[in-house]
Amino acid sequence: MSPTPKTTRELLAHMEQSVMFTAARPPVVMERGEGSYLWDVEGGRYLDFIQGWAVNCLGHSPPVIQKALARQAAVLVNASPAYYNPQWIEFAGLLTKTSGLDKVFFANTGAEANEGALKMARKYGMRHLKGAYGVVTAWNSFHGRTLAMMSATGKGVWEGLFEPKVPGFTHVPFNDLEAMRLAVTNKVCAVMVEPVQGEGGVFPATVEYLRGLRKLCDETGVLLIFDEVQTAIGRLGHLYGFQHYGVQPDIMTLGKGLGGGFPVSAVVAREKACLFDIGEQGGTFNAQPLAMAVGKAVVEEVIHKNLCAHAARMGGRLMDKLKEMGREFGFADIRGMGLLVGVDLPQSEIPPGPAQPSAPTIGHQVVQECLKAGLLINSPRPATLRFMPALTVTETEIDEMVDILRGCLQRVL
Ligand SMILES: Cc1ncc(COP(=O)(O)O)c(C=O)c1O
């Protein structure tokens, strides 16, 4: 065996020999994290406002996760999905109690949770809606990268990819109640939206829209599904995004922050939608004890440390600082909720669809400049920057981020 490579150059040379290419990544290799900071293998330090893509709600390597993993690993790593484990039952109870919904199915990724939700909706359609199986989602949405979720996602650049798509999906403009009303025909069993479109560039639903969707679903008998993979576990200043809107869905999917960095996701649903028969849903690692122990510890920490209120406060500060900066640089828009915030750069023509990381968009240039200056942010659209720090982020860290960003914008714009 050759010795383990250590420098960035050595590691990247090995990477090229064995790692499948799927995305353009910068030439850094991250080795260690603590709180709001990451360090690369050369010792370079980064203030992280991406946090695993809105995942690490407690920051990097929080003691809570370290302890939960160590404790659980010493007792039981995997009993097999054929048997219950105590953490599974307790974690499910925590999610039903805090959401007001009835039952939980645990999975591993956001896309897998969404798949589960749509299987439930189709079963519901079969049982209660004369076999209706259609699902209406929004343009500019993001629901994951499995074949069915790429079909569910309303993303223009994915059209024509991996054809044929899974049938049964219709896309309508987001925040347009009338369009949704027209799309919900008697062939439809569910409507699925994100309370805030995160990957699409941070576009919050209006209160009227989500309340209108609830009413429409109640009138038609169609299920209302909220994809809360990005918006839950404190991200919007509430444990669940729907609590901000006062609109409870029939099915909610969770992921990302649910495990604070450990892969775990969930489908949380009203009893009436829980129609699986034996063998219709499952998976080798679903409700795996390590994931259950970590997820439960993370959600309890968010609740006990009152991190939703902290996220709302820090989000307010971040917004205020960005608005100040917006006056200086002429930002075209600043929007978001809690600690999910987006900024459109000045005078930008914003074409639909995502940023192409390899193309020199203005957003990409700012992201690159920030990386060089030790700040990690993301650009989900060509002229949009997105900020999604840990819920534990401090005022000092927000101020530090703003200082670094200001310097970078002065150089790039
Ligand atoms: C709203 C939403 N749904 C689903 C997903 C897919 O989650 P995963 O990448 O864990 O499959 C994402 C990921 O960004 C998301 O933001």
Side-chain angles (χ1 to χ4, degrees), residues 392-406:
T392 50
V393 72
T394 63
E395 290 184 2
T396 314
E397 287 160 354
I398 289 175
D399 296 352
E400 184 188 350
M401 188 285 289
V402 166
D403 284 346
I404 301 175
L405 180 63
R406 178 174 283 116

Side-chain angles (χ1 to χ4, degrees), residues 55 105-118 142-146 149 153 192 225-230 252-258 262-267 281:
V55 165
F105 172 79
F106 287 109
N108 306 282
T109 67
E112 192 189 356
N114 285 339
E115 291 267 349
L118 294 195
F142 187 85
H143 299 295
R145 286 191 166 82
T146 59
M149 287 313 115
T153 293
M192 177 163 77
I225 304 174
F226 285 171
D227 177 344
E228 290 236 27
V229 168
Q230 187 153 155
M252 164 175 73
T253 54
L254 305 172
K256 292 192 182 275
L258 188 63
F262 197 90
V264 60
S265 65
V267 187
Q281 181 67 332

Side-chain angles (χ1 to χ4, degrees), residues 183-194:
V184 175
T185 64
N186 60 4
K187 304 252 180 324
V188 168
C189 65
V191 162
M192 177 163 77
V193 294
E194 300 152 82

